Amino acid sequence: MASFLYRLGRLAFRRRRIVALMWVALLALAGFGAASAPAATSSSFSVPGTEAQKAFDLLEERFPGGSADGATARVVFKAPAGEKMTDPGPRAEVTGAVAALKSGSGQVASVTDPYTAQAVSKDSSTAYVSVTYKVGSMELTDSTLRALKKAGAQARDNGLTVEIGGDALQAAPETGAGEIIGVIIAGVVLVVTFGSLIAAGLPLLTALVGVGIGISTITALAAALDLGTTTSTLAMMIGLAVGIDYALFIVSRYRAELAEGREKEEAAARAAGTAGSAVVFAGLTVVIALAGLAVAGIPLLTKMGFAAAGTVVVAVLIALTLVPALLGFAGDRVLGRKARKNREVNAASPRPNAGARWARLVLRHPVAVLLAGVVGLGVIAVPAASLEVGLPDDGSQPVSTTQRKAYDLLSDGFGPGFNGPLTVVVDGDRADGDRATELIRNLDGATAVTPPTFNKAGDTAMITVIPRDRPSSLATEDLVHEIRDKSSDNVYVTGATALNTDFSQKMSDALLPYLALVVGLAFLLLTVVFRSVLVPLKAALGFLLSVVAALGAVVAVFQWGWLGSLFGVEQTGPVMSMMPIFMIGVVFGLAMDYEVFLVTRMREAFVHGQRPADAIVTGFGHSARVVAAAAVIMIAVFAGFIGSSEQMIKTIGFGLAIAVFFDAFVVRMAIVPAVLALLGRKAWWLPGWLERTLPNVDVEGEQLNEEPSRSTGGPGEDRELIPV
């Protein structure tokens, strides 16, 4: 591995103009594809194998011509104090709005009049107009959206409160300047770490190229592959973080090789051969974790995972080729002026002794450090035991949005459950429909049940049930289960609330198989990398501790509301259903990054003859500062997405940022050296039969050191190392 990457790095250095032009061409090609691709439609959401999905499919089959896939909107009107919506004035305003909506766009499928559709609250204070469109929310034209927003403008001018809810106003998540601030912080950290603007700019530039290619490719394929807007946001989040980090480690190792007196070409080749090997295996763990999300069997999650994994692959390829090429242009200018003058820098950091001093402190008190780290994370993990999962709805939107205001008006006027109606589908005749209706009316959790509506063939009935409690509550979830348990086999419950319930259950069922798959594959991979059994085991257990602690922090902030205002959480509630499995996947991959980068240097020192304790100090002396910088960069990038208006993106940003903090600074920087200190030489033990079975990938670059000519050869030597 190291020899191959050494040759690849040297080739990229020598052919830097061609390599740079190739990546620029790829970026331009991806950009052209994104610009010329058809506009993406709204991503479909399905949960195969669940009752809610089966009922939804049955509705599409038995009620042809319906607009199950079309966008919907509710224009909610509230009368001024002292008036009612049934008074002539407010009624005329609503009637005018209904007429305007019907004639406002050719994309409108139907508009209901609240006075004929019983859409006026019992106290007559609130009424709503339901609008159904022929196309999804992402396909609505600007003129259609303008007509929707203007529909109640006159009524609003005349004193009525008018708000609009529904998915018709769904837009791409707004992240504001958060991610830009994250990139700026990353730049500052890089400048502080390297003391050189050029060295700091290289990881940022290459990461932006990688993200540009990844996002443009996703955009180009969005319509064909049914990729949602969240997919590109996730790919940007992961791509920026790993792209900066992978380039950071290559550049850092290049500077260290220059410090040892090697020529620029040789330094770039060795950086690719040693740090590049760590980048490959770290990237593989992230790809395994992201691609493994397919285990859940949710198409949306699978697409998100594969798209983000593709962006990680691009980041790895850029680190191995474009970074050495750009180092060829930069030369020794990646060093600060003072370092260039002396041609001397302290390996991976201007202050190597800081990491070494910390390692020696841990070695003197390994038990105390281990207990402090484990107990501290254990306390933070306690709230995870109270984890409740669900999917966000308009009730989790910021209170300033019209969707949230419409949600609250409907809750006040029609009851908390009105925003999450259940749709019961009966696969049978009229007698079956009547029996199901009567059974549901006798359930305590249902506040209203409509008479069954049959299709033309009379063999399928649809019943609407209004729960007594809000959509995301446990009481509503219990109602879904109660209807299913007490009804016959031909009665199915669907609707957004039921689909969310089934989705949450499917996520919970997939958690353990996914964890076993990802941790198992990564364990095998790390066993090959470190040629040890205990080091990968320690890495996996440390990850579990950090991810459970991160889930505890997520529960405390987003479910309990602790420090919620600090992170812009305006409505507490269940944690997003996919958050646990998603956090496990992404954080595991990123956690293994630090494990590989940090422990590889320890393994390298141990292989080259140092005692286990000295190897720990050497590894920290070379890598601690750079790993810390990489962690701060990742935290900054992820934290930048906390400002998103989309609850899902906000939760993911916070969860990943806090998880990286726990894993990098508590697990990898404290618990790992403490455990290795206690294990001593046993940490690197590998059974003889396994030693003979496993391939030797030479991540430490032993083979490079066996050929002295490589360390002293000039740019014109070792031409035979260039692959033809």
Side-chain angles (χ1 to χ4, degrees), residues 396-421:
S396 61
Q397 294 273 2
V399 294
S400 58
T401 62
T402 186
Q403 295 98 319
R404 173 61 184 276
K405 292 175 181 177
Y407 180 97
D408 292 339
L409 287 176
L410 289 172
S411 294
D412 294 340
F414 297 89
F418 192 79
N419 284 291

Side-chain angles (χ1 to χ4, degrees), residues 11 15 58-59 84 160 206 223 276 279 335 338 355 374 470 483 579 608 617 627 657 675 682:
L11 178 64
R15 304 288 185 262
L58 187 63
L59 280 177
K84 295 183 177 181
L160 274 70
T206 54
V279 166
L335 305 175
K338 184 177 179 181
V374 172
R470 58 192 175 88
I483 294 174
M579 190 64 193
H608 293 161
V617 174
V627 168
V675 171
K682 295 178 183 177

Side-chain angles (χ1 to χ4, degrees), residues 87 195 330 347 406 487 540 650 699:
D87 292 343
S487 300
K650 183 190 292 288
V699 175

